[in-house]
Amino acid sequence: MLDIKDFSIFDNQPSFDFKGLLLKILGYWKWFVICIALGLIIAYQINIRKEKIYAMQTMISIKEESNPFFTSNTSLVFNWGGTSDQVSSTSTILQSRSHNELVVDKLQFYIDYLSQGKYKMVDAYGSVPFSISIDKIKGQLVNQVIGIKFINASEYEIRIPFEANSVSLVNYTDNSYSNTAVAVGDFVKRYKVGDRVSLPFLDWKLQINDKPGFYTGNEYYVRLNDFDGTVSRYRNINVNVDAKAGSILTLSLQGTNKARMVEYLNATVKMLIKNQLDSKNQFATNTISFIDSTLVAMEKQLKTTGNELKTFRKDKNIFDIEEGGAKFSDKMLDFDVERDQITRKVAYYNSLKSYLKNSVDYSKLPAPSVAGIEDPNIAANVSKLIALSTQRSEMAYAVKSDKIFKDFDNQMAAVKNVLLENINSAKSSLQYDLALINGKIGQAESTIKRLPDEQQELLKIKRKYDLSDNIYNTFLQKRSEADIVKAANLSDIHFIDPAKDIGGGLIGPKTSVNYVLAIFLGILIPLLFVFIIFFINNSIQNTEDINKLTQIPLIGVIGLNEEKTTLAVFEKPKSAMSESFRAIRSSLQFLYKKKQLDGAKTLMITSSVSGEGKTFCSINIATVFALSEKKTVILGLDLRKPRLAEEFGIENKDGIVNYLIKQKSLQEITNKTVIPHLDVILSGPVPPNPSELIISEGMNELMEELKKKYDYIILDTPPVGLVSDSLELVQFADTTIYVVRQNYTKKDMIMLLNTRIRRGELENVSILLNGFENKAKYGSAYGSAYGYGYGTYGYSYNDNQEVKSTIADRLKKIFKK
């Protein structure tokens, strides 16, 4: 029946050992050095292979420019709603797809010019001695590197490596794709500079630039890219508004080629200026178009009435006829002109009203002044409506937010409603004016009817001619005004600092960041490794571990044996290890004295499992007793796996087993050693029943004989954690040393030792810490250093198996001093 004291759950549980962790980290300093060195080497290789990154920028200002020829009579210009609105619109346009498509197409930036760098191909735009002009309506080989090698100043060679029997082609007029068949392998062909290259997959002309420098024999590369993909890259242009001056914008690009970025930044601003000026001139352009169509009609009408007047005057005394109606001619002209003006205004209002109700694009509206309308409300609202409509159409390519479009639609709807109200009010007033002038014309015509028929006919023809001539001259004047206004318009966007390569501009790569990251990872990776080892390693690390786990006293600490011999004390008696064993001898003598033992003293040395060094400790403890001129004997009581014979170089022929079965006497099994006063009794042949032999009466007889002959009897026993033989030998031992080994003995074995002591299976026990290293590394080569290993105990005590080193053991051998 088990006693409650048998349960190890009542032992003190170990707490976190920060000191042990720190010592373990310091013990792996070589790992940290190697990982940091490797990280720095990798970071260096990455840094030298990275292309340098530059930043180029240009600065523009947005200032609302008024036309110096603008008057209330022309009214052919409009603004965009103020500077703040223009800044927002400009930022959006610069990043819009439609705007960047125009710039990329103009610069043909979908063509890459490359050269072979030290590690890879680099962008050589601006430094190659040639340029390519492609035929956009023909399919061009896309995303394929094309080699160009100059044979001489006027001849070059094209080399294209085809890896498949089909290649993709792009047509840059509509960005459509197609495929064409090719022969697998290198396509090589020579051409003259300036000659057209006409192939099923390529159509271009190569021209040498001005001042190309020396280029004969050099090799360059060209790559035609996807148009939409190229545009997408340039839409990432960075637009920043100056915090102190809200009308100033800074445009910047980052890349590997400064010449390409400088040209693109300047080109995108120039394109913006052109488009903005075209939009600003839209009102004047619409007006000029309307006037031109009106002038054509008036010119035709004027020609018809002129011919009619010429025919009437033929064969007549025109002076007599004109004299009679001259006083009515000027008066009727004034009335007709006034009525035409009113009629044109009404017609404009009717047309504008119909346009507002039936159309959604208001960018084509002509200026109200073309019909003689000077109402500032009408002119301002028409101008605003055109501006809103123009902005909305431009933003359709850059903005995907329905809310923004709804805001524009709401604003235009509000302006339309105001305009419709203005139109209704203005038309009412014009209808009244038209009625008045029609009345005056009616009175004048009644008077004219009293004149002779010929005079009436002449006045009728002349009225039509004079009216057409007056309208024609009026529209000619308005067209001239519109041309002046259009020519005098200025863009609201101005360069402050055009982009320019003045040296510098380097912003990357951040080599220091890579080095810092390399050092960080060089520390982190081995640190994680040490953490994993520390937390999964359940073995004894130091004396603090022993003190936390048990109340059993610690009799001594033995360092790691760096030599290949087991006779450490005998061969190096002045070493630190020898002094450690002498200290243990002193402690044992104190224990024997405390127990008031007389005569021979016995010492049993055991451990939890094999490989912890109990045989090594047995030999050297026996040696220090023998060197003090005490007759000492070591008994090899590990009958299952004897090791003493190997350590002393003696054949394990006769031993304890022979004595216990009455084959040999004590004198016959006792062996002298090279160490004075030290004898050794081997275990002898491996018996089939080791436990039964140990508990036999022969064992008692053996111990009695030994006590008569020796001062100290050292019992080298099997591991107590694996077999029960050692427990049977406790009765013969005055004191027991329990050997634990750093980085080898599991902490659970100490718990088992506590349980055995509670149950009285072991008595007078002291612990010896063996194989101790201050750096507390994981694992050791202890077994191989001592020339033996008990690793097989943990698997099968009765089977002879070759000891296999663990991965940790192998790693330690690599980094061991």
Side-chain angles (χ1 to χ4, degrees):
M1 181 175 178
L2 291 176
D3 189 88
I4 190 170
K5 294 184 294 181
D6 295 340
F7 294 94
S8 60
I9 59 172
F10 297 101
D11 292 331
N12 293 329
Q13 296 299 316
S15 59
F16 178 74
D17 185 6
F18 180 79
K19 181 180 178 182
L21 175 62
L22 182 60
L23 289 174
K24 187 172 290 293
I25 292 173
L26 294 176
Y28 281 91
W29 66 270
K30 291 182 180 179
W31 286 68
F32 287 91
V33 171
I34 292 174
C35 288
I36 291 173
L38 288 175
L40 291 175
I41 292 172
I42 294 172
Y44 172 75
Q45 294 298 324
I46 291 174
N47 287 338
I48 62 176
R49 283 167 171 77
K50 280 188 173 181
E51 289 189 80
K52 294 182 178 179
I53 305 298
Y54 299 92
M56 295 285 108
Q57 66 180 27
T58 182
M59 190 178 295
I60 62 174
S61 67
I62 299 176
K63 180 181 179 182
E64 190 172 333
E65 297 285 358
S66 60
N67 195 307
F69 293 96
F70 171 75
T71 66
S72 60
N73 291 327
T74 54
S75 300
L76 299 179
V77 296
F78 63 90
N79 60 52
W80 286 13
T83 302
S84 61
D85 289 340
Q86 290 194 54
V87 170
S88 176
S89 299
T90 301
S91 300
T92 302
I93 291 171
L94 285 169
Q95 296 175 321
S96 68
R97 179 179 59 81
S98 58
H99 173 80
N100 285 281
E101 281 180 350
L102 294 175
V103 181
V104 169
D105 183 64
K106 179 181 179 182
L107 299 176
Q108 292 192 344
F109 267 19
Y110 44 80
I111 302 177
D112 282 346
Y113 297 92
L114 309 169
S115 62
Q116 183 62 53
K118 185 176 180 180
Y119 298 104
K120 59 182 179 180
M121 289 186 181
V122 297
D123 187 354
Y125 180 84
S127 61
V128 295
F130 64 93
S131 61
I132 298 296
S133 176
I134 67 171
D135 188 347
K136 294 184 180 180
I137 65 173
K138 299 292 182 63
Q140 306 289 347
L141 183 64
V142 67
N143 297 327
Q144 174 75 51
V145 175
I146 304 169
I148 296 177
K149 184 175 182 180
F150 287 94
I151 307 303
N152 51 56
S154 60
E155 190 176 13
Y156 66 96
E157 181 182 84
I158 291 178
R159 180 180 296 272
I160 308 174
F162 291 122
E163 298 179 356
N165 55 13
S166 177
V167 293
S168 296
L169 306 180
V170 61
N171 189 308
Y172 285 109
T173 55
D174 56 3
N175 295 323
S176 60
Y177 281 81
S178 60
N179 292 309
T180 189
V182 294
V184 177
D186 287 349
F187 172 85
V188 181
K189 196 170 184 179
R190 292 189 179 185
Y191 290 93
K192 294 286 186 180
V193 171
D195 288 352
R196 180 181 176 186
V197 176
S198 183
L199 297 168
F201 48 83
L202 206 60
D203 199 300
W204 74 26
K205 284 185 180 180
L206 184 148
Q207 300 290 345
I208 299 298
N209 300 335
D210 295 335
K211 300 179 181 180
F214 179 80
Y215 59 90
T216 300
N218 293 347
E219 187 170 9
Y220 304 93
Y221 302 90
V222 170
R223 181 174 57 211
L224 304 179
N225 299 309
D226 174 66
F227 183 82
D228 292 333
T230 304
V231 172
S232 296
R233 291 199 301 271
Y234 286 102
R235 288 184 65 184
N236 294 326
I237 186 171
N238 189 25
V239 183
N240 291 321
V241 181
D242 194 306
K244 297 181 179 179
S247 62
I248 295 178
L249 297 180
T250 301
L251 282 59
S252 61
L253 272 177
Q254 295 182 6
T256 59
N257 188 288
K258 293 195 283 186
R260 184 183 289 274
M261 290 187 291
V262 165
E263 187 160 355
Y264 193 87
L265 286 171
N266 290 333
T268 194
V269 174
K270 291 177 182 177
M271 184 65 69
L272 180 69
I273 292 173
K274 178 183 178 299
N275 292 341
Q276 194 264 348
L277 189 57
D278 289 344
S279 297
K280 199 170 186 179
N281 286 331
Q282 186 66 51
F283 207 174
T285 302
N286 295 348
T287 302
I288 291 172
S289 177
F290 178 81
I291 291 174
D292 285 342
S293 62
T294 304
L295 284 175
V296 171
M298 289 295 98
E299 186 176 8
K300 183 177 180 181
Q301 185 175 344
L302 187 62
K303 184 177 180 180
T304 302
T305 54
N307 291 333
E308 187 177 350
L309 182 60
K310 185 177 180 180
T311 302
F312 179 81
R313 287 177 173 177
K314 189 177 182 181
D315 300 330
K316 290 185 177 66
N317 187 355
I318 194 64
F319 295 104
D320 293 338
I321 297 174
E322 287 181 344
E323 185 178 357
K327 60 181 179 179
F328 297 102
S329 179
D330 294 337
K331 187 176 181 180
M332 290 300 298
L333 178 61
D334 293 338
F335 289 156
D336 288 336
V337 169
E338 186 177 354
R339 183 171 67 178
D340 180 72
Q341 291 176 349
I342 296 173
T343 303
R344 280 192 288 113
K345 290 179 181 180
V346 172
Y348 179 85
Y349 284 137
N350 289 334
S351 176
L352 179 59
K353 185 175 182 180
S354 175
Y355 197 88
L356 293 175
K357 289 183 176 181
N358 300 322
S359 179
V360 294
D361 180 13
Y362 309 109
S363 60
K364 304 297 182 181
L365 286 174
S369 60
V370 77
I373 299 173
E374 299 176 2
D375 188 337
N377 293 328
I378 300 290
N381 287 326
V382 169
S383 174
K384 189 174 182 179
L385 192 61
I386 294 175
L388 289 171
S389 182
T390 303
Q391 289 184 62
R392 190 187 189 284
S393 61
E394 289 175 347
M395 294 183 69
Y397 295 99
V399 179
K400 302 301 180 184
S401 173
D402 292 335
K403 182 179 181 302
I404 294 178
F405 291 128
K406 289 180 180 178
D407 289 342
F408 272 100
D409 293 338
N410 292 336
Q411 292 182 55
M412 287 190 289
V415 174
K416 280 169 54 178
N417 292 333
V418 172
L419 265 177
L420 291 173
E421 292 294 331
N422 292 336
I423 290 171
N424 292 332
S425 176
K427 280 181 64 178
S428 299
S429 177
L430 288 174
Q431 293 295 342
Y432 176 77
D433 294 338
L434 183 61
L436 290 177
I437 195 62
N438 283 335
K440 293 179 181 180
I441 292 175
Q443 291 178 0
E445 287 178 344
S446 299
T447 305
I448 291 173
K449 288 181 180 180
R450 300 172 185 171
L451 296 175
D453 292 340
E454 286 186 347
Q455 288 182 345
Q456 288 186 40
E457 184 66 22
L458 178 60
L459 283 175
K460 182 179 179 181
I461 296 173
K462 196 172 182 182
R463 279 180 64 188
K464 290 195 302 182
Y465 179 83
D466 291 342
L467 180 59
S468 298
D469 183 60
N470 183 272
I471 294 173
Y472 186 79
N473 290 332
T474 299
F475 273 94
L476 279 178
Q477 181 183 356
K478 290 185 177 296
R479 193 190 190 288
S480 178
E481 291 174 355
D483 284 334
I484 293 172
V485 169
K486 184 176 180 180
N489 266 340
L490 300 174
S491 174
D492 294 342
I493 300 170
H494 306 277
F495 272 115
I496 296 179
D497 277 331
K500 184 178 181 181
D501 180 13
I502 56 175
L506 181 66
I507 62 171
K510 300 293 185 181
T511 56
S512 58
V513 173
N514 289 338
Y515 288 127
V516 171
L517 183 61
I519 295 173
F520 174 74
L521 292 177
I523 295 174
L524 179 63
I525 293 174
L527 186 63
L528 291 174
F529 177 75
V530 173
F531 265 101
I532 293 172
I533 290 178
F534 183 81
F535 286 107
I536 68 173
N537 182 16
N538 191 36
S539 58
I540 298 296
Q541 299 295 313
N542 46 47
T543 57
E544 286 83 354
D545 286 348
I546 297 174
N547 293 332
K548 290 176 183 178
L549 294 170
T550 183
Q551 298 298 319
I552 302 172
L554 182 69
I555 197 170
V557 177
I558 304 299
L560 179 66
N561 184 20
E562 300 288 351
E563 305 298 331
K564 294 183 178 181
T565 179
T566 312
L567 306 177
V569 173
F570 177 72
E571 295 187 358
K572 291 189 177 182
K574 296 183 179 180
S575 65
M577 181 174 290
S578 298
E579 292 301 325
S580 299
F581 280 109
R582 290 189 181 97
I584 294 172
R585 178 187 65 187
S586 299
S587 298
L588 288 171
Q589 288 174 339
F590 174 77
L591 291 175
Y592 293 140
K593 184 177 181 180
K594 187 176 180 181
K595 294 179 66 175
Q596 299 179 352
L597 294 175
D598 294 327
K601 287 88 174 175
T602 59
L603 172 64
M604 187 178 80
I605 300 178
T606 187
S607 64
S608 302
V609 294
S610 58
E612 292 171 314
K614 57 182 177 53
T615 301
F616 170 77
C617 293
S618 299
I619 293 172
N620 285 283
I621 290 175
T623 301
V624 294
F625 280 118
L627 291 178
S628 64
E629 298 183 355
K630 300 293 183 181
K631 295 186 67 176
T632 308
V633 63
I634 304 175
L635 271 66
L637 291 172
D638 191 349
L639 304 182
R640 302 170 188 269
K641 297 188 74 66
R643 297 292 180 182
L644 276 174
E646 298 177 14
E647 307 303 335
F648 285 100
I650 304 172
E651 185 180 359
N652 189 21
K653 183 178 179 182
D654 299 323
I656 294 173
V657 173
N658 303 94
Y659 179 89
L660 294 177
I661 63 176
K662 308 299 182 179
Q663 285 183 349
K664 301 287 182 178
S665 65
L666 177 61
Q667 185 177 357
E668 290 176 316
I669 64 173
T670 302
N671 300 284
K672 296 293 183 179
T673 67
V674 295
I675 304 171
H677 307 292
L678 178 62
D679 294 338
V680 61
I681 300 176
L682 304 177
S683 62
V686 178
N689 55 344
S691 296
E692 286 72 15
L693 287 176
I694 287 176
I695 63 175
S696 67
E697 187 62 30
M699 190 67 197
N700 292 324
E701 296 174 1
L702 175 64
M703 293 302 298
E704 290 298 327
E705 286 191 58
L706 291 173
K707 287 181 179 181
K708 295 175 183 179
K709 186 177 180 180
Y710 294 97
D711 297 319
Y712 290 96
I713 303 168
I714 310 300
L715 309 180
D716 181 25
T717 64
V720 71
L722 298 176
V723 293
S724 62
D725 298 4
S726 297
L727 299 179
E728 304 295 341
L729 295 169
V730 171
Q731 57 182 315
F732 303 113
D734 298 322
T735 303
T736 300
I737 290 181
Y738 194 91
V739 179
V740 299
R741 177 177 155 196
Q742 184 189 49
N743 279 318
Y744 193 90
T745 303
K746 302 303 179 183
K747 294 178 181 179
D748 295 341
M749 291 300 177
I750 304 298
M751 302 296 186
L752 180 60
L753 175 62
N754 290 338
T755 302
R756 292 189 183 280
I757 292 176
R758 288 193 188 98
R759 293 192 299 195
E761 296 176 357
L762 291 173
E763 295 179 348
N764 302 321
V765 179
S766 298
I767 293 178
L768 188 153
L769 178 59
N770 185 33
F772 179 75
E773 282 187 292
N774 286 330
K775 296 176 182 179
K777 293 182 181 177
Y778 177 74
S780 70
Y782 187 87
S784 61
Y786 293 144
Y788 64 90
Y790 269 93
T792 53
Y793 266 113
Y795 298 94
S796 175
Y797 184 78
N798 296 311
D799 296 336
N800 287 321
Q801 298 178 357
E802 182 181 356
V803 179
K804 297 181 180 179
S805 62
T806 64
I807 294 176
D809 291 335
R810 295 174 184 174
L811 291 175
K812 181 174 179 180
K813 289 178 183 178
I814 296 173
F815 296 102
K816 185 179 177 184
K817 293 181 179 178

